[in-house]
mmCIF file of all heavy atoms in Angstrom:
data_model
loop_
_atom_site.group_PDB
_atom_site.id
_atom_site.type_symbol
_atom_site.label_atom_id
_atom_site.label_comp_id
_atom_site.label_asym_id
_atom_site.label_seq_id
_atom_site.Cartn_x
_atom_site.Cartn_y
_atom_site.Cartn_z
ATOM 1 N N ARG A 356 -0.270 36.529 124.787
ATOM 2 C CA ARG A 356 -0.860 35.735 125.902
ATOM 3 C C ARG A 356 0.067 34.653 126.470
ATOM 4 O O ARG A 356 1.019 34.202 125.778
ATOM 5 C CB ARG A 356 -2.023 34.971 125.329
ATOM 6 C CG ARG A 356 -3.212 35.850 124.782
ATOM 7 C CD ARG A 356 -4.431 34.963 124.445
ATOM 8 N NE ARG A 356 -4.111 33.951 123.424
ATOM 9 C CZ ARG A 356 -4.869 32.898 123.138
ATOM 10 N NH1 ARG A 356 -6.015 32.800 123.746
ATOM 11 N NH2 ARG A 356 -4.533 32.065 122.261
ATOM 12 N N PRO A 357 0.076 34.448 127.765
ATOM 13 C CA PRO A 357 0.999 33.461 128.468
ATOM 14 C C PRO A 357 0.636 32.041 128.176
ATOM 15 O O PRO A 357 1.033 31.168 128.880
ATOM 16 C CB PRO A 357 0.783 33.874 129.883
ATOM 17 C CG PRO A 357 -0.618 34.448 130.009
ATOM 18 C CD PRO A 357 -0.950 35.026 128.838
ATOM 19 N N VAL A 358 -0.212 31.818 127.130
ATOM 20 C CA VAL A 358 -0.579 30.306 126.882
ATOM 21 C C VAL A 358 -0.389 30.111 125.404
ATOM 22 O O VAL A 358 -0.228 31.077 124.558
ATOM 23 C CB VAL A 358 -2.050 30.035 127.190
ATOM 24 C CG1 VAL A 358 -2.257 30.221 128.713
ATOM 25 C CG2 VAL A 358 -3.014 31.020 126.364
ATOM 26 N N GLY A 359 -0.304 28.828 125.019
ATOM 27 C CA GLY A 359 -0.139 28.496 123.618
ATOM 28 C C GLY A 359 1.376 28.478 123.272
ATOM 29 O O GLY A 359 2.287 28.727 124.079
ATOM 30 N N PRO A 360 1.662 28.010 122.054
ATOM 31 C CA PRO A 360 2.988 27.819 121.502
ATOM 32 C C PRO A 360 3.813 29.080 121.290
ATOM 33 O O PRO A 360 4.987 28.947 121.109
ATOM 34 C CB PRO A 360 2.836 27.009 120.338
ATOM 35 C CG PRO A 360 1.591 27.545 119.644
ATOM 36 C CD PRO A 360 0.782 27.850 121.008
ATOM 37 N N VAL A 361 3.123 30.231 121.205
ATOM 38 C CA VAL A 361 3.878 31.412 120.703
ATOM 39 C C VAL A 361 4.255 32.376 121.898
ATOM 40 O O VAL A 361 3.273 32.588 122.717
ATOM 41 C CB VAL A 361 3.022 32.233 119.695
ATOM 42 C CG1 VAL A 361 3.789 33.563 119.289
ATOM 43 C CG2 VAL A 361 2.824 31.387 118.418
ATOM 44 N N ARG A 362 5.441 32.775 122.027
ATOM 45 C CA ARG A 362 5.782 33.732 123.078
ATOM 46 C C ARG A 362 6.363 34.948 122.409
ATOM 47 O O ARG A 362 7.291 34.864 121.523
ATOM 48 C CB ARG A 362 6.944 33.007 124.063
ATOM 49 C CG ARG A 362 6.334 31.885 124.879
ATOM 50 C CD ARG A 362 5.401 32.281 125.834
ATOM 51 N NE ARG A 362 4.987 31.131 126.662
ATOM 52 C CZ ARG A 362 3.931 30.295 126.522
ATOM 53 N NH1 ARG A 362 3.312 30.496 125.328
ATOM 54 N NH2 ARG A 362 3.660 29.364 127.246
ATOM 55 N N GLY A 363 6.037 36.112 122.909
ATOM 56 C CA GLY A 363 6.652 37.350 122.355
ATOM 57 C C GLY A 363 8.000 37.457 122.800
ATOM 58 O O GLY A 363 8.403 37.141 124.000
ATOM 59 N N LYS A 364 8.912 37.968 121.900
ATOM 60 C CA LYS A 364 10.235 38.248 122.324
ATOM 61 C C LYS A 364 10.494 39.326 123.267
ATOM 62 O O LYS A 364 9.711 40.304 123.101
ATOM 63 C CB LYS A 364 11.125 38.487 120.972
ATOM 64 C CG LYS A 364 12.554 38.751 121.245
ATOM 65 C CD LYS A 364 13.381 39.010 119.882
ATOM 66 C CE LYS A 364 14.845 39.148 120.265
ATOM 67 N NZ LYS A 364 15.499 39.431 118.918
ATOM 68 N N ASP A 365 11.274 39.173 124.232
ATOM 69 C CA ASP A 365 11.574 40.218 125.204
ATOM 70 C C ASP A 365 12.463 41.261 124.566
ATOM 71 O O ASP A 365 13.523 41.121 124.298
ATOM 72 C CB ASP A 365 12.192 39.643 126.439
ATOM 73 C CG ASP A 365 12.333 40.575 127.556
ATOM 74 O OD1 ASP A 365 12.410 41.801 127.286
ATOM 75 O OD2 ASP A 365 12.260 40.201 128.755
ATOM 76 N N THR A 366 11.759 42.389 124.381
ATOM 77 C CA THR A 366 12.523 43.527 123.649
ATOM 78 C C THR A 366 12.632 44.635 124.644
ATOM 79 O O THR A 366 12.854 45.883 124.201
ATOM 80 C CB THR A 366 11.727 44.011 122.338
ATOM 81 O OG1 THR A 366 10.448 44.373 122.758
ATOM 82 C CG2 THR A 366 11.741 42.943 121.374
ATOM 83 N N SER A 367 12.504 44.420 125.926
ATOM 84 C CA SER A 367 12.658 45.512 126.847
ATOM 85 C C SER A 367 14.051 45.877 127.226
ATOM 86 O O SER A 367 14.295 46.939 127.773
ATOM 87 C CB SER A 367 11.907 45.116 128.193
ATOM 88 O OG SER A 367 12.609 43.964 128.790
ATOM 89 N N GLY A 368 14.986 44.923 126.994
ATOM 90 C CA GLY A 368 16.496 45.126 127.298
ATOM 91 C C GLY A 368 16.644 44.776 128.687
ATOM 92 O O GLY A 368 17.805 44.995 129.248
ATOM 93 N N LYS A 369 15.680 44.191 129.354
ATOM 94 C CA LYS A 369 15.764 43.765 130.777
ATOM 95 C C LYS A 369 15.396 42.350 130.925
ATOM 96 O O LYS A 369 14.715 41.970 131.827
ATOM 97 C CB LYS A 369 14.776 44.648 131.642
ATOM 98 C CG LYS A 369 15.070 46.227 131.451
ATOM 99 C CD LYS A 369 14.221 47.047 132.322
ATOM 100 C CE LYS A 369 14.444 48.548 132.230
ATOM 101 N NZ LYS A 369 13.426 49.312 132.950
ATOM 102 N N ALA A 370 15.874 41.548 130.059
ATOM 103 C CA ALA A 370 15.629 40.129 130.194
ATOM 104 C C ALA A 370 16.202 39.523 131.432
ATOM 105 O O ALA A 370 17.190 40.144 131.990
ATOM 106 C CB ALA A 370 16.130 39.367 128.955
ATOM 107 N N PRO A 371 15.605 38.411 131.962
ATOM 108 C CA PRO A 371 16.270 37.864 133.120
ATOM 109 C C PRO A 371 17.658 37.587 132.959
ATOM 110 O O PRO A 371 18.116 37.371 131.943
ATOM 111 C CB PRO A 371 15.462 36.463 133.275
ATOM 112 C CG PRO A 371 14.137 36.862 132.604
ATOM 113 C CD PRO A 371 14.487 37.766 131.514
ATOM 114 N N ALA A 372 18.432 37.606 134.097
ATOM 115 C CA ALA A 372 19.881 37.452 134.027
ATOM 116 C C ALA A 372 20.281 36.166 133.313
ATOM 117 O O ALA A 372 21.207 36.196 132.554
ATOM 118 C CB ALA A 372 20.335 37.498 135.436
ATOM 119 N N GLU A 373 19.467 35.059 133.493
ATOM 120 C CA GLU A 373 19.884 33.849 133.032
ATOM 121 C C GLU A 373 19.733 33.805 131.458
ATOM 122 O O GLU A 373 20.203 32.886 130.811
ATOM 123 C CB GLU A 373 19.110 32.669 133.496
ATOM 124 C CG GLU A 373 17.593 32.663 133.341
ATOM 125 C CD GLU A 373 16.926 33.593 134.403
ATOM 126 O OE1 GLU A 373 17.556 34.299 135.177
ATOM 127 O OE2 GLU A 373 15.618 33.451 134.493
ATOM 128 N N ALA A 374 18.970 34.811 130.937
ATOM 129 C CA ALA A 374 18.743 34.910 129.534
ATOM 130 C C ALA A 374 19.757 35.771 128.776
ATOM 131 O O ALA A 374 19.733 35.786 127.602
ATOM 132 C CB ALA A 374 17.302 35.416 129.241
ATOM 133 N N ARG A 375 20.578 36.383 129.546
ATOM 134 C CA ARG A 375 21.509 37.308 129.025
ATOM 135 C C ARG A 375 22.903 36.723 128.990
ATOM 136 O O ARG A 375 23.295 35.787 129.853
ATOM 137 C CB ARG A 375 21.662 38.612 129.731
ATOM 138 C CG ARG A 375 20.347 39.471 129.809
ATOM 139 C CD ARG A 375 20.622 40.904 130.128
ATOM 140 N NE ARG A 375 21.160 40.951 131.541
ATOM 141 C CZ ARG A 375 20.539 41.135 132.629
ATOM 142 N NH1 ARG A 375 19.195 41.222 132.615
ATOM 143 N NH2 ARG A 375 21.184 41.252 133.835
ATOM 144 N N PRO A 376 23.853 37.075 128.049
ATOM 145 C CA PRO A 376 25.149 36.673 128.033
ATOM 146 C C PRO A 376 25.832 36.972 129.358
ATOM 147 O O PRO A 376 25.612 37.939 129.983
ATOM 148 C CB PRO A 376 25.771 37.245 126.811
ATOM 149 C CG PRO A 376 24.575 37.673 125.982
ATOM 150 C CD PRO A 376 23.520 37.924 126.912
ATOM 151 N N ALA A 377 26.802 36.148 129.774
ATOM 152 C CA ALA A 377 27.509 36.474 130.966
ATOM 153 C C ALA A 377 28.237 37.767 130.891
ATOM 154 O O ALA A 377 28.412 38.440 131.893
ATOM 155 C CB ALA A 377 28.552 35.186 131.325
ATOM 156 N N ALA A 378 28.772 38.083 129.728
ATOM 157 C CA ALA A 378 29.616 39.266 129.584
ATOM 158 C C ALA A 378 29.227 39.917 128.167
ATOM 159 O O ALA A 378 28.977 39.111 127.355
ATOM 160 C CB ALA A 378 31.049 39.030 129.747
ATOM 161 N N GLN A 379 29.318 41.121 128.027
ATOM 162 C CA GLN A 379 28.990 41.775 126.811
ATOM 163 C C GLN A 379 30.173 42.781 126.513
ATOM 164 O O GLN A 379 30.523 43.632 127.404
ATOM 165 C CB GLN A 379 27.682 42.497 126.867
ATOM 166 C CG GLN A 379 27.169 43.016 125.379
ATOM 167 C CD GLN A 379 25.857 43.568 125.588
ATOM 168 O OE1 GLN A 379 25.558 44.443 126.461
ATOM 169 N NE2 GLN A 379 24.930 43.290 124.701
ATOM 170 N N SER A 380 30.761 42.608 125.331
ATOM 171 C CA SER A 380 31.950 43.532 124.995
ATOM 172 C C SER A 380 31.361 44.866 124.680
ATOM 173 O O SER A 380 30.252 45.068 124.405
ATOM 174 C CB SER A 380 32.573 43.004 123.624
ATOM 175 O OG SER A 380 31.617 43.128 122.524
ATOM 176 N N ASP A 381 32.336 45.809 124.747
ATOM 177 C CA ASP A 381 31.986 47.312 124.434
ATOM 178 C C ASP A 381 31.252 47.419 123.082
ATOM 179 O O ASP A 381 30.407 48.168 122.895
ATOM 180 C CB ASP A 381 33.253 48.083 124.578
ATOM 181 C CG ASP A 381 33.676 48.273 126.047
ATOM 182 O OD1 ASP A 381 32.946 47.996 126.933
ATOM 183 O OD2 ASP A 381 34.865 48.618 126.270
ATOM 184 N N ASN A 382 31.903 46.664 122.150
ATOM 185 C CA ASN A 382 31.351 46.875 120.709
ATOM 186 C C ASN A 382 29.892 46.206 120.623
ATOM 187 O O ASN A 382 29.103 46.818 119.975
ATOM 188 C CB ASN A 382 32.284 45.983 119.820
ATOM 189 C CG ASN A 382 33.500 46.676 119.359
ATOM 190 O OD1 ASN A 382 33.684 47.986 119.537
ATOM 191 N ND2 ASN A 382 34.541 45.908 119.021
ATOM 192 N N ALA A 383 29.701 45.075 121.329
ATOM 193 C CA ALA A 383 28.381 44.566 121.401
ATOM 194 C C ALA A 383 27.462 45.519 121.979
ATOM 195 O O ALA A 383 26.239 45.644 121.521
ATOM 196 C CB ALA A 383 28.400 43.175 122.047
ATOM 197 N N ALA A 384 27.727 46.031 123.104
ATOM 198 C CA ALA A 384 26.889 46.925 123.839
ATOM 199 C C ALA A 384 26.598 48.163 122.989
ATOM 200 O O ALA A 384 25.382 48.708 122.873
ATOM 201 C CB ALA A 384 27.601 47.426 125.070
ATOM 202 N N ALA A 385 27.583 48.713 122.338
ATOM 203 C CA ALA A 385 27.353 49.901 121.443
ATOM 204 C C ALA A 385 26.535 49.493 120.231
ATOM 205 O O ALA A 385 25.607 50.402 119.881
ATOM 206 C CB ALA A 385 28.691 50.498 120.841
ATOM 207 N N THR A 386 26.654 48.346 119.735
ATOM 208 C CA THR A 386 25.838 47.866 118.599
ATOM 209 C C THR A 386 24.376 47.809 119.113
ATOM 210 O O THR A 386 23.439 48.297 118.292
ATOM 211 C CB THR A 386 26.333 46.495 118.101
ATOM 212 O OG1 THR A 386 27.718 46.623 117.684
ATOM 213 C CG2 THR A 386 25.421 46.012 116.954
#
Side-chain angles (χ1 to χ4, degrees):
R356 295 187 304 166
V358 296
V361 179
R362 297 288 188 272
K364 182 177 180 179
D365 190 328
T366 58
S367 66
K369 300 177 181 178
E373 61 272 15
R375 296 198 303 265
Q379 190 177 47
S380 70
D381 290 341
N382 285 338
T386 302

